[in-house]
Amino acid sequence: MAAAGSGWAAVCEKFRTARTLSAVESRKDPETEPYRSKYSARALLQEVKQLLSAAEEGGEARLLAVRRAVLEYELGVNHTDTEELSAGEEHLQRCTQLLEPHRLSPDCVSLYIQAQNNLGILWSERDEIKTAQTYLESAEALYNQYMKEDGNPPLDPSEHFMAEEEKLTDQERSKRFEKAYTHTLYYLAQVYQHLEMIEKAAQYCHTTLKRQLEYCGYYPVEWALNAATLSQYYLSKQCFMESRHCLAAASVIFSQAGQVPSAEDNETEQDQQDLRQRKAEIARCWIKYCLNLLQSARKLLEDNVGELDPDRQLELKAQRKKEEDEKEKGRKKAVLFGTSDICDSVLAMEEKVSSVYPLDFQEAREIFLVGQNYVQEAKEFFQVDGYVTDHIEIVQDHSALFKVLAFFEEDYERRCKMHKRRIDMLEPIYADLNPQYYLLISRQLQFELADTYYEMMDLKVAIGNRLEELDSHTIKKINSLAQLAIKYYELFLDSLRNPDKVFPEQLEEDVLRPAMVAKFHIARLYGKLITSDSKKQLENMQTSLEYYTFLVDYCEKYPDAVRAVETELELSREMVGLLPTRMERLRAKLCPFI
Amino acid sequence: YSFSVEGDAIKVYVRVRPPSEGTALTDGDQGLCLSVLSSNTIRLHSKPEPKIFTFDYVANMETTQESVFSSVAKNIVESCMNGYNGTIFAYGQTGSGKTFTMMGPSDSDNFTHSLRGVIPRSFEYLFFLIEREKEKAGSAKSFLCKCSFIEIYNEQIFDLLDSASAGLFLREHIKKGVFVDGAVEQVLSSAAEAYQVLTMGWRNRRVASTSMNRESSRSHAVFTITVESMEKNNEIVNIRSSLLNLVDLAGSERQKDTHTEGLRLKEAGNINRSLSCLGQVITALVDVGNGKQRHICYRDSKLTFLLRDSLGGNAKTCIIANVHPGSRCFGETLSTLNFAQRAKLIKNKVRELFNV
């Protein structure tokens, strides 16, 4: 018995060495012999296997089977690691076969799940994602069944080759078991992504993040970035409550990263800078959150000419009241991050901004202000000197925040001032930007500036229409805004010209719509210019007609373009029909004798 | 209105190198896995059906260095003189003739060698054009050429003209675009000088790969020439500047690795590591959404960031995909041709293509 005891110690020792070789030593293997340690580990495992079968007669059958399953598992992983998939599969299959009858018992369940995880990986390497999925889903089911029926911390596979006194604590067992299951979910997230089951993939990513938090298996910065990125997924699905939850959690966990001194403690300046950048990235996700919430609310509230619809507003307010009672229920359905402590901080963070559609200016303004604060925070890192693209993107978001806020503002004068703020932030950047390196952004800015001036002009016209008579100041204002809008639309259209300054015969698909809209708006703007000089007025009408005609002719020549500009085309056709008559009438007035 | 502009499609050239002498003897004609059908089509003898690929230009084994240069680079150098940025990428597996195409025979540092490659010829042509311009305009026009040479390995940037430096960073300037902060810039006055700087940097790359355990087949090398012209027209001074990037991409065998990784699961491993790839999964999920109003926290790779302008902007860009015709290279050749095909077709997604 004593001999057997010392023999057993030697077996355990061999097993332990094999594991160290495989997990630790192998990482130091030279490039020329990448699997050296893996092969040595494999040899040791084979030896252990032989020693085990030699001892077979005396031992208890079940115990032996489990130990052999552990070895098959290790050999299976070893073979897949060294790109011998078929051999790996055989070992892993043998492992699951040995464990099959006992897979729900505490000494087998963890090993069984890990074997299935590895079979999942193995099949994915053969590009058979569906097969991988069946293994991983059955691992998931087994975990759930075990937790329901037993739930005690099960043995870790390594314990089967440990002396009694070395065995793990329940806490450690539970930690390792949960980790294996987290891996199952993490692999499933990838499987669903590959199978394009996007919603399910997102759900599994979410749950994986949640479990990382619960079992402390995460790096705060990385975790926060992942959560912030996930929030952007929810944003694209218009799930604002989930999106906000992810962002709040990201902010909370990120703030911990700053407090915990890093392992090496001698943080370089680069690390500090990285940290500041990450913080700014999370701020940018928040900006997008505020922007999306406001824009979605605008979509709900606007009438067919893009103004706030008061009936719709009342309707939605009533509907919200009804829903408020059910809100609590909805909350519980979502996956929540964190245990009590973290959860409290996350909830506190969430309270700073709403996740329901704002329905009036006051509500919209609150969200706007939160967004604007994050704009400042993001800009602190992404300064124009060094981060041109990022900086401008943030400024564009800021402008978009003002634009959507203006929608909720009833007072036209104040609304106009908001648009002026947009001009003030965009114009200087545009003036400095070199289109040779930033063509796309430069075009976006041209277009946005043009649009903003256009919008301001429209507002001034609306204000003027309320007056009994247009005063010369207002006329001057309207004309100058229209001229500026025309200037920027023309700059945009010029940017489409080729090196020889020729406008393209056929527009590329990605600029088709903006180019056509620019033409259309210029046509309208010439129609809006106010002048008492009839000759000048005739000239403006002529120019307007030319631009409308461009749209009509272009769509005739390239019928594919019609889809992109249906409304604009219809109106253009109408104007092409009307304008000549109007011009004729004006001409007649000018020279009554002809 | 949101819109994106990605500019002209990238031009794609394929060059087939002759099989190395040893293989030609043993394999014979049956040993070739492809045949060039015309100056822009290539047939790959895949089974069961052969595959036909079409590119902007296919250079067969007999095509001369001069003719490769004329069809590929001449145009790009010319537009560089007109103020446009240009980029030439070389792509292909190790041994597919990348270096021969770009530099010339490896055993000579000789700039005047009759088999010199695209790069020395581009230098010659660039300086020829500059001289011609100068003659035409007299003292009214002057030129300044500068170059830098960097290497991207493991998402880190090294300066090949200053072997003492390490870890440079990319920054952006509102007027000058993306640049490598702190990279040495050398003033050039002739094609020979440019070639000298290039070979010196190339040697540094080799030294670094042995002494610092970097694998040169896994690194991207970017040689950039800045051409600045100043023209005085009465009182008005007109300054124009453009870049010519010559890029040696990491060996395509590495490309293949990352390609297959697209389908398999990322392992978490047994060590106490967090699931760092989860971010990639989540990013992919967000990418699917079409809405523009979102921000993804994970950045482009260094290479795509540096060459942002070349991968969709107002720049002229071409790829020379080099392939080895031997049947033993079938897999590699197929993956190179597939890559080149994708680069040609998916102009809006070119950035993804290079995000290695």
Side-chain angles (χ1 to χ4, degrees), chain B residues 46 49 56 63 125 165 169-171 226 254 262 272 307 317:
Chain B
S46 49
E49 287 286 297
D56 293 290
T63 312
Y125 191 52
S165 84
F169 296 100
L170 289 176
R171 288 170 66 81
T226 317
R254 167 142 164 71
N272 192 19
L307 300 171
T317 304

Side-chain angles (χ1 to χ4, degrees), chain A residues 231-233 235-236 284-285 287-293 295 393 396-398 400-401, chain B residues 2 286 289-296:
Chain A
S231 80
Q232 304 298 292
Y233 163 79
L235 220 46
S236 64
R284 291 184 68 180
C285 290
I287 299 171
K288 295 292 187 194
Y289 170 84
C290 296
L291 198 50
N292 272 278
L293 187 55
Q295 286 172 338
E393 280 168 5
Q396 286 175 313
D397 280 351
H398 196 184
L401 280 169
Chain B
S2 64
V286 186
N290 291 320
K292 209 177 164 263
Q293 295 299 349
R294 58 202 152 78
H295 178 71
I296 300 174

Side-chain angles (χ1 to χ4, degrees), chain A residues 138-300:
Chain A
S138 103
E140 182 190 24
L142 179 62
Y143 170 87
N144 287 326
Q145 197 186 349
Y146 176 80
M147 290 312 273
K148 210 170 116 197
E149 291 175 14
D150 190 318
N152 288 311
L155 246 59
D156 187 69
S158 64
E159 290 185 80
H160 294 290
F161 288 91
M162 273 182 191
E164 205 54 49
E165 61 275 14
E166 291 171 314
K167 294 257 161 99
L168 303 172
T169 60
D170 271 359
Q171 200 191 3
E172 180 62 25
R173 281 177 180 167
S174 165
K175 202 179 121 194
R176 294 193 186 186
F177 179 55
E178 296 298 344
K179 195 168 173 181
Y181 178 61
T182 304
H183 284 178
T184 307
L185 299 177
Y186 162 69
Y187 299 136
L188 274 171
Q190 298 180 61
V191 160
Y192 294 135
Q193 183 222 323
H194 288 313
L195 295 174
E196 288 174 33
M197 298 159 76
I198 301 303
E199 204 172 318
K200 219 155 177 200
Q203 189 194 326
Y204 277 77
C205 285
H206 197 142
T207 314
T208 306
L209 284 173
K210 178 180 151 69
R211 293 181 56 89
Q212 280 184 282
L213 212 53
E214 269 166 24
Y215 300 101
C216 299
Y218 67 98
Y219 297 136
V221 176
E222 192 183 273
W223 193 95
L225 280 189
N226 285 341
T229 309
L230 187 60
S231 80
Q232 304 298 292
Y233 163 79
Y234 286 122
L235 220 46
S236 64
K237 299 280 170 220
Q238 307 236 27
C239 303
F240 292 104
M241 198 199 288
E242 287 82 355
S243 182
R244 180 181 68 171
H245 187 64
C246 287
L247 277 170
S251 289
V252 167
I253 298 300
F254 185 86
S255 65
Q256 292 181 346
Q259 293 156 15
V260 182
S262 79
E264 287 94 273
D265 221 19
N266 48 354
E267 273 182 28
T268 61
E269 199 188 320
Q270 182 52 36
D271 294 334
Q272 286 295 336
Q273 183 164 334
D274 276 351
L275 217 55
R276 287 193 297 125
Q277 176 168 343
R278 301 300 172 218
K279 189 168 179 241
E281 302 266 14
I282 294 171
R284 291 184 68 180
C285 290
W286 274 113
I287 299 171
K288 295 292 187 194
Y289 170 84
C290 296
L291 198 50
N292 272 278
L293 187 55
L294 286 165
Q295 286 172 338
S296 305
R298 176 190 171 148
K299 265 214 184 85
L300 284 177

